[in-house]
Amino acid sequence: MSAAPPPPPPESPVAAAAGGGDKVLAAAQHIVKSLATSKNAADDMIRILSGFDNRLSQITSDLFPSPDLAADSDERGNPLWGQISAAAFDAAEQLIQVWDGTPEALVFEATEDEVAEYLSAVDVAIEHLAQELRHLMVRHAVPLDPTGLFFSLRRLSLGSMDDLDTSSEFDAATPHSIDVAPETARGGPLVNPFEDQVFDPVRPEAVDDLRAIADRMARAGYSRELADAYCGIRRDLLDEYLSALGVERLSIDEVQRIEWKHLNDKMKKWVQAVKTVVRVLLAGERRLCDQVLSVSDELREECFIESTKGCIMQILSFGDAVAVCPRSPEKLSRILDMYEALAEVIPEMKDLCLGSSGDGVISDVQANLDRLGDAIRGTLFEFGKVLQLESSRRAMTAGEIHPMTRYVMNYLRLLVVYSDTLDALLDDDADDQIDLARAEDQDQEHLESMTPLGKRLLKLISYLEANLEEKSKLYEDSALECIFSMNNLLYIVQKVRDSELGKILGDHWVKRRNGKIRQYSKSYLRISWMKVLSFLKDDGHGSGSGSSSGSGSGHSSSRMSIKEKFKNFNLAFEEIYRNQTTWKVPDPQLREELKISISENVIPAYRAFLGRYGSQVDGGRNSGKYIKYTPEDLESQLSDLFEGAPGPANHSRRRT
């Protein structure tokens, strides 16, 4: 008995459907029209279909749309839900249903062309899912309102180096300042403004649909397509969020060309943006990845890094640009703000980047932080050089506080706000090690226990003191030199005593400077008033009674000598009055103490001299020419000293 003939090969679903006549032709035509991307592709598909049924050769390619239509897209470059996409999806669906309706037929037992056709239909379905994913994320994206995120951070912009006036009175690299209270440097302690901030970048009602799409694409082996679709949309939206936060994409050259006023604003926005990006935006992206891409831990980590890397790199690029900008003192506190903001969020970034894929990003962030730290150390070093080399030769006319003194002391008080950060950054800086053997006026035990910042501050103040000492030598009048030195040293002491600088430098330092101020005061009194008082010395001219105990010529000589003394006293006093009323002692307590010291030396001596010898001149001819002032007159005129403006022409109340 002969063997039964082998069963015929399974008929392809397309051939089985041929009995449908025109229906088959219409279906095939629809498939070609939907799947073809060019006229050549359409011709190839017609040729393949004709191999199954010669009736299909009747399909004409001129029925197909122009390939340009297939490239239609929205403003993001993603395919729209237009006629072509919908038609392609419908055609693919019909083809798959034909195969699914013939369970005994296996796709990969069909011809190569049929396999390719089936896989193309599956690709269309997957692309449709990817488009759905993009569409849902865009449609349900939550806009960012930066106003609500920034209100708690505004205090960061209070005080700081931008409060230091940029007057030309001092070297352009280190302009002088207005007085700034240390407690306003950064507005006091900051609470975490993000404790209750939860930002979900996609509305919750879309999350389940997004997860359903992601699950199916990943399980069907289309993880790469899923990642591309997901990351592309998230990157675009994060770019928009950065723009809303005021973070621009700037090159290093562009940053270096920005004027300080505008760069200062951008640095403040950057500080705000860093915390907002990490604690709000990246935290939101982390939650979205965990929810939508839960199908795969590896995919979830990859997509989080790929989605956020561009945003992070844009943030870091500005930090790098600032770090390599020319060193100038006014930038220091802003760079410190940037450094602290970045250092603060690094641990949080590590928590967000759970897998090893985030190691590279964290490494880049740390490198950026290190470069900002180098910029801080370099700026402090340059500031010290400026203090040492500043050599303006114009003396302060009234002996008042030099702009450099104001600038430096307010600058140092603001630096103390960053003491923890600066102590860490300066810890290994060999340049900060002060030669203890040369610190003759510093308590050695306290000096050895000072922090790295304390030693640096002590060094900077010593540079300032040395510079001021050189500037004091510009005065031809030694008395004005003393006033200048007193004013500036007192200002330094007050700024130290009334701030954290006092704790850092110690009581011994303050006492030493107070002692120097007293020495300057004594020197001023000696230089200014020694000559004036010399005219009031009792050198044996008469008894003060007006009688004569000698010859007439002797008595006449004595009277002439006394008149000369009164005259010389008047001239010397008036010269001092004329000059020193224009001198300025800004501190009211020091000004009053100086006036009291002058009065205690001059008024009693004048009263005694007037009481002893006034009668020999008073009542005589032109006596008012010699005795021009009462002690009260002098007291009144002394009250006009050190006010920084010329006093009245004549305070005399004595009648001539």
Side-chain angles (χ1 to χ4, degrees):
M1 186 173 179
S2 61
E11 187 177 21
S12 76
V14 174
D22 293 340
K23 194 172 182 180
V24 171
L25 180 60
Q29 197 171 37
H30 185 62
I31 292 172
V32 176
K33 182 178 179 182
S34 300
L35 297 182
T37 58
S38 68
K39 190 175 185 306
N40 290 336
D43 291 339
D44 291 341
M45 293 177 68
I46 292 171
R47 189 167 52 255
I48 292 169
L49 291 173
S50 298
F52 295 106
D53 190 323
N54 60 8
R55 290 176 298 170
L56 302 184
S57 62
Q58 299 173 32
I59 303 172
T60 56
S61 60
D62 58 358
L63 297 175
F64 307 141
S66 166
D68 293 338
L69 292 177
D72 284 350
S73 62
D74 64 7
E75 64 277 7
R76 294 183 180 280
N78 298 318
L80 292 168
W81 308 109
Q83 179 183 1
I84 302 304
S85 295
F89 182 73
D90 290 343
E93 181 181 33
Q94 289 180 21
L95 181 60
I96 292 171
Q97 285 177 350
V98 169
W99 282 99
D100 290 347
T102 315
E104 69 276 7
L106 300 176
V107 175
F108 287 91
E109 289 185 0
T111 66
E112 281 186 30
D113 291 333
E114 288 180 305
V115 170
E117 180 184 302
Y118 182 85
L119 292 178
S120 295
V122 172
D123 287 341
V124 170
I126 292 298
E127 175 57 26
H128 189 77
L129 281 178
Q131 291 182 25
E132 287 278 3
L133 186 83
R134 297 186 191 101
H135 174 71
L136 285 172
M137 281 198 290
V138 172
R139 180 180 177 185
H140 294 279
V142 177
L144 185 70
D145 176 16
T147 305
L149 295 175
F150 280 174
F151 74 94
S152 296
L153 291 173
R154 285 180 188 151
R155 291 192 300 168
L156 284 173
S157 64
L158 296 175
S160 201
M161 299 303 174
D162 51 327
D163 287 315
L164 300 180
D165 182 19
T166 55
S167 165
S168 59
E169 291 289 340
F170 182 39
D171 186 274
T174 54
H176 82 269
S177 76
I178 59 174
D179 289 348
V180 180
E183 61 271 12
T184 67
R186 294 160 77 198
L190 287 174
V191 297
N192 184 356
F194 301 99
E195 286 177 346
D196 300 322
Q197 288 280 6
V198 176
F199 177 73
D200 290 315
V202 171
R203 294 185 182 92
E205 59 265 28
V207 171
D208 288 343
D209 292 338
L210 290 170
R211 182 168 54 248
I213 293 173
D215 286 353
R216 281 154 181 79
M217 290 184 71
R219 288 168 183 162
Y222 287 86
S223 294
R224 182 72 271 144
E225 290 77 3
L226 170 61
D228 289 344
Y230 183 94
C231 295
I233 290 296
R234 297 316 312 162
R235 276 195 299 265
D236 289 346
L237 289 171
L238 279 171
D239 282 346
E240 293 182 8
Y241 291 154
L242 280 184
S243 179
L245 293 174
V247 178
E248 303 173 62
R249 198 180 297 274
L250 299 170
S251 68
I252 291 178
D253 288 340
E254 288 173 324
V255 171
Q256 293 191 344
R257 288 196 298 268
I258 298 173
E259 293 182 1
W260 164 239
K261 179 181 178 181
H262 300 299
L263 180 59
N264 185 34
D265 290 339
K266 293 183 186 301
M267 292 168 79
K268 285 192 285 188
K269 287 181 179 178
W270 189 93
V271 171
Q272 296 170 332
V274 164
K275 297 185 178 184
T276 304
V277 165
V278 174
R279 294 172 174 169
V280 178
L281 299 188
L282 297 191
E285 292 297 323
R286 176 78 263 177
R287 284 192 302 274
L288 187 64
C289 273
D290 292 345
Q291 292 168 341
V292 173
L293 304 175
S294 57
V295 66
S296 166
D297 290 344
E298 182 180 352
L299 182 65
R300 185 173 55 190
E301 297 310 315
E302 177 190 350
C303 286
F304 175 74
I305 296 300
E306 289 303 316
S307 298
T308 59
K309 185 187 296 183
C311 170
I312 296 171
M313 291 302 110
Q314 185 172 338
I315 289 283
L316 296 183
S317 66
F318 182 81
D320 280 335
V322 168
V324 298
C325 279
R327 313 288 192 225
S328 57
E330 71 273 9
K331 295 176 185 172
L332 184 56
S333 74
R334 284 286 167 250
I335 301 176
L336 278 161
D337 285 339
M338 292 174 67
Y339 182 93
E340 290 189 346
L342 197 58
E344 189 176 325
V345 299
I346 285 179
E348 298 167 46
M349 291 186 70
K350 290 179 179 179
D351 290 340
L352 293 172
C353 302
L354 301 177
S356 59
S357 57
D359 292 346
V361 172
I362 298 300
S363 177
D364 289 339
V365 175
Q366 184 62 52
N368 189 270
L369 184 71
D370 293 341
R371 285 188 285 273
L372 288 172
D374 291 340
I376 291 167
R377 283 188 290 266
T379 302
L380 270 177
F381 178 75
E382 290 298 322
F383 183 56
K385 286 176 61 177
V386 168
L387 281 181
Q388 289 177 290
L389 301 176
E390 200 282 328
S391 57
S392 60
R393 302 295 297 172
R394 188 174 70 83
M396 305 304 294
T397 307
E400 66 269 36
I401 300 166
H402 197 281
M404 177 181 66
T405 308
R406 292 185 183 276
Y407 182 92
V408 171
M409 294 312 300
N410 284 296
Y411 193 94
L412 299 186
R413 290 179 79 196
L414 291 174
L415 289 184
V416 174
V417 177
Y418 303 91
S419 57
D420 291 342
T421 297
L422 288 170
D423 278 335
L425 286 172
L426 300 173
D427 192 27
D428 298 322
D429 195 338
D431 184 58
D432 281 336
Q433 303 306 311
I434 291 180
D435 184 357
L436 302 183
R438 292 188 299 163
E440 299 175 357
D441 65 345
Q442 183 67 14
D443 178 70
Q444 295 298 306
E445 183 178 350
H446 177 71
L447 183 60
E448 292 173 2
S449 66
M450 290 178 78
T451 64
L453 174 61
K455 293 176 181 178
R456 175 61 66 93
L457 293 174
L458 184 62
K459 176 185 289 188
L460 292 173
I461 292 179
S462 70
Y463 293 160
L464 172 62
E465 290 177 313
N467 196 306
L468 289 171
E469 186 174 351
E470 288 299 312
K471 286 181 174 16
S472 71
K473 296 175 182 177
L474 298 173
Y475 293 98
E476 294 181 3
D477 190 325
S478 298
L480 184 54
E481 177 183 342
C482 293
I483 294 295
F484 172 81
S485 297
M486 259 192 295
N487 281 333
N488 283 270
L489 189 53
L490 177 62
Y491 185 87
I492 293 172
V493 169
Q494 288 174 334
K495 288 295 181 180
V496 169
R497 189 180 56 215
D498 299 339
S499 70
E500 290 296 312
L501 287 170
K503 296 179 182 178
I504 294 174
L505 299 181
D507 292 338
H508 181 80
W509 187 94
V510 172
K511 290 176 181 178
R512 292 280 300 188
R513 269 66 190 172
N514 282 333
K516 286 185 177 181
I517 293 171
R518 287 191 294 272
Q519 290 175 7
Y520 286 131
S521 177
K522 291 178 181 178
S523 295
Y524 159 78
L525 288 171
R526 184 183 70 254
I527 295 168
S528 273
W529 297 98
M530 183 172 62
K531 182 178 179 181
V532 177
L533 293 174
S534 69
F535 298 121
L536 303 179
K537 286 184 178 178
D538 186 355
D539 52 3
H541 293 291
S543 64
S545 63
S547 61
S548 176
S549 58
S551 67
S553 61
H555 178 67
S556 175
S557 174
S558 175
R559 287 180 57 131
M560 289 300 297
S561 176
I562 292 170
K563 286 181 179 180
E564 193 67 21
K565 283 181 176 291
F566 274 113
K567 178 182 176 182
N568 289 335
F569 172 84
N570 294 337
L571 290 173
F573 182 86
E574 287 164 2
E575 182 182 4
I576 288 177
Y577 178 84
R578 185 171 57 254
N579 290 333
Q580 297 191 15
T581 51
T582 63
W583 295 1
K584 191 170 185 178
V585 176
D587 182 72
Q589 183 176 341
L590 177 60
R591 186 168 63 244
E592 192 60 28
E593 287 176 357
L594 283 172
K595 292 177 182 179
I596 291 172
S597 296
I598 296 169
S599 294
E600 288 176 347
N601 281 271
V602 174
I603 302 303
Y606 182 78
R607 182 177 281 114
F609 189 82
L610 181 64
R612 178 168 296 183
Y613 299 111
S615 60
Q616 296 187 31
V617 178
D618 200 8
R621 199 155 126 204
N622 297 323
S623 62
K625 177 181 177 182
Y626 303 104
I627 305 177
K628 295 176 65 174
Y629 305 103
T630 67
E632 291 73 25
D633 290 334
L634 295 182
E635 191 81 43
S636 176
Q637 294 207 221
L638 289 176
S639 68
D640 295 333
L641 299 181
F642 313 125
E643 298 290 343
N650 190 355
H651 268 269
S652 174
R653 297 197 301 269
R654 181 176 177 83
R655 294 177 181 176
T656 60

